[in-house]
Structures are given as structure tokens and as C-alpha cells.
Amino acid sequence: MDYLASMTKENFAAHGYGSFFILSTMDRYYKPDMTRDEALDLLKLCIKEVQSRFIVNLNAFSVKIIGTDGITVLDNIPGSGTVHKDVPREAIHPELIARA
């Protein structure tokens, strides 16, 4: 479902300004028979594209897989963003702390 509440069956989708940068990446690398690991690698590639081409300064991206077994929450994917000095240390992804 998109922001206008219209629904269509698609193999992949992206919304918002970031979609302008990642839909071509998904067009190129998406395969209908991808494994979970291949899909996560594609997601990481999409995150890299968004962060290199768009002004996004996030310290982590949450990942949830929605499937026939329900919703599976995976570990966050660290971003390359910087963290404001007022953000509590426990809210910062450990890999960003290690880079500092």
C-alpha cells in the first residue's frame, strides 16, 4: 500500500524521496528467487546508495521481515551517520561507538 492507500502486487517497492535513488538498484539486482541473505545484501546496497546520494544522517536502520510466519525482527543495519552529542549512548549502534 502506498501513501495514497492504493494497492498493487509488486516484487519490490520503495517509498519517499529515497526511492528515486534505490529503485534502479532494485531493478538491477532483484531476483525472484533470492535467499534471505541475498535480500539483506541488496538492502545494504540500497542503504549505501541512499546515504551516498541523499542527505540522510541516520545511525542505524531497523530491519523487519514480513512473511507467512509473521514478522521477524532482525538486527539493525548500522548507518554511516554521525550522532548528535545529546543522543544517549545506549541509543547509539555499537559499531558507531567503535568508530568514534
Side-chain angles (χ1 to χ4, degrees), residues 1-2 4-9:
M1 181 183 310
D2 68 5
L4 297 173
S6 60
M7 290 180 32
T8 180
K9 191 170 185 131

Side-chain angles (χ1 to χ4, degrees), residues 5-87:
S6 60
M7 290 180 32
T8 180
K9 191 170 185 131
E10 300 291 340
N11 290 322
F12 57 83
H15 299 278
Y17 289 116
S19 67
F20 295 116
F21 306 112
I22 65 170
L23 283 174
S24 60
T25 301
M26 294 173 83
D27 277 335
R28 182 172 184 182
Y29 295 107
Y30 172 80
K31 299 180 299 187
D33 59 344
M34 294 177 84
T35 65
R36 180 182 282 196
D37 288 338
E38 289 172 329
L40 286 172
D41 288 342
L42 177 56
L43 177 60
K44 290 174 186 176
L45 187 59
C46 289
I47 289 170
K48 183 179 174 183
E49 281 297 312
V50 167
Q51 289 196 311
S52 68
R53 300 183 186 279
F54 189 57
I55 302 171
V56 174
N57 196 17
L58 299 175
N59 66 343
F61 293 82
S62 60
V63 181
K64 296 176 183 168
I65 297 176
I66 302 169
T68 56
D69 297 335
I71 299 172
T72 304
V73 179
L74 301 181
D75 290 337
N76 287 346
I77 296 176
S80 61
T82 57
V83 180
H84 191 272
K85 64 181 176 61
D86 294 333
V87 173

